[in-house]
Amino acid sequence: DAGVTQSPTHLIKTRGQQVTLRCSPKSGHDTVSWYQQALGQGPQFIFQYYEEEERQRGNFPDRFSGHQFPNYSSELNVNALLLGDSALYLCASSRGTVERGYTFGSGTRLTVV
Amino acid sequence: GQQVMQIPQYQHVQEGEDFTTYCNSSTTLSNIQWYKQRPGGHPVFLIQLVKSGEVKKQKRLTFQFGEAKKNSSLHITATQTTDVGTYFCAGPLTGGGNKLTFGTGTQLKVEL
């Protein structure tokens, strides 16, 4: 049990569609970061949420947006899906700063056809 | 693109052999973290190093943080099949804010 829960585990979408991925952080964690991991590559930072605000953003287009709720859970939304958006989307939670290490969820495998 | 590079990209070893992966950052790191990702799994936090020149051990795993805090290494003594996976270093880059930047990873395969 990773402590971080992501849903759904797998998803198949068509180009141009929109998708919402969900994440519940580990108990006691208040910071949620989202990563995209293409096959055979390292995780790429999308953005991080803390106190319901986007604290930092990586080099991803505005099609990628997110939200954090008062209970610290988070959503990742991707609009106008492209084939290149196919990847494993990982949610990582932490308590406070990044200094303490991340706990990752099992991820959502998104396939865009 | 990635600013944290790891070598080698792949490593095949026989069970019982040693293994080392090296991590190099383009900027200094306030700390370096190591994660292991099993095939089909998600990254799992292994350890964090903070001090310049720091060395930490976890059973057969030895982690080092370079004096300049720009490089790190992970050494596994006498590999076992349970060590199979991809090892990532990660750290908050200077000027990169609070985000954790991951390295390119080293995929380890262990054969009997």
Side-chain angles (χ1 to χ4, degrees):
Chain A
D1 180 14
V4 176
T5 305
Q6 288 188 245
S7 63
T9 55
H10 295 84
L11 203 52
I12 299 176
K13 288 287 190 177
T14 305
R15 273 183 302 174
Q17 285 188 316
Q18 177 264 345
V19 68
T20 298
L21 310 182
R22 295 176 175 83
C23 171
S24 293
K26 181 178 179 178
S27 178
H29 285 185
D30 56 9
T31 303
V32 173
S33 302
W34 286 92
Y35 284 83
Q36 180 194 67
Q37 187 176 29
L39 205 59
Q41 297 186 18
Q44 296 288 318
F45 178 80
I46 303 175
F47 42 53
Q48 184 180 85
Y49 278 86
Y50 174 71
E51 292 188 341
E52 302 179 51
E53 290 191 359
E54 183 183 287
R55 179 156 67 176
Q56 196 162 2
R57 188 178 183 90
N59 295 324
F60 279 81
D62 292 343
R63 298 186 297 108
F64 290 76
S65 63
H67 190 77
Q68 186 179 34
F69 299 95
N71 67 352
Y72 307 117
S73 67
S74 178
E75 288 182 349
L76 163 64
N77 300 291
V78 187
N79 294 323
L81 284 167
L82 304 173
L83 295 178
D85 294 332
S86 296
L88 179 66
Y89 287 85
L90 294 162
C91 170
S93 73
S94 58
R95 188 175 65 195
T97 70
V98 74
E99 314 287 320
R100 299 170 185 263
Y102 286 173
T103 300
F104 279 87
S106 299
T108 295
R109 173 71 62 186
L110 173 64
T111 302
V112 182
V113 297
Chain B
Q2 293 280 8
Q3 295 174 284
V4 182
M5 303 299 294
Q6 287 181 249
I7 56 171
Q9 187 176 2
Y10 303 99
Q11 185 80 61
H12 254 110
V13 299
Q14 296 289 323
E15 189 177 43
E17 292 182 336
D18 292 355
F19 160 77
T20 304
T21 172
Y22 299 91
C23 171
N24 291 285
S25 170
S26 55
T27 65
T28 57
L29 303 164
S30 60
N31 70 83
I32 188 83
Q33 301 176 19
W34 284 91
Y35 292 77
K36 176 183 178 182
Q37 186 171 20
R38 294 182 185 274
H42 58 275
V44 174
F45 176 75
L46 295 177
I47 206 163
Q48 174 183 278
L49 304 169
V50 179
K51 299 176 183 177
S52 170
E54 188 171 12
V55 178
K56 285 189 177 181
K57 292 189 176 184
Q58 285 182 350
K59 298 183 180 178
R60 296 178 293 104
L61 277 61
T62 301
F63 304 84
Q64 285 189 301
F65 199 9
E67 294 291 339
K69 302 186 78 173
K70 294 180 69 173
N71 61 287
S72 181
S73 65
L74 158 59
H75 179 82
I76 302 179
T77 304
T79 55
Q80 300 175 358
T81 54
T82 53
D83 296 325
V84 166
T86 301
Y87 292 85
F88 291 101
C89 63
L93 301 181
T94 301
N98 201 44
K99 70 179 182 184
L100 206 59
T101 298
F102 278 77
T104 48
T106 296
Q107 183 179 351
L108 172 64
K109 292 190 176 181
V110 180
E111 297 177 352
L112 292 172

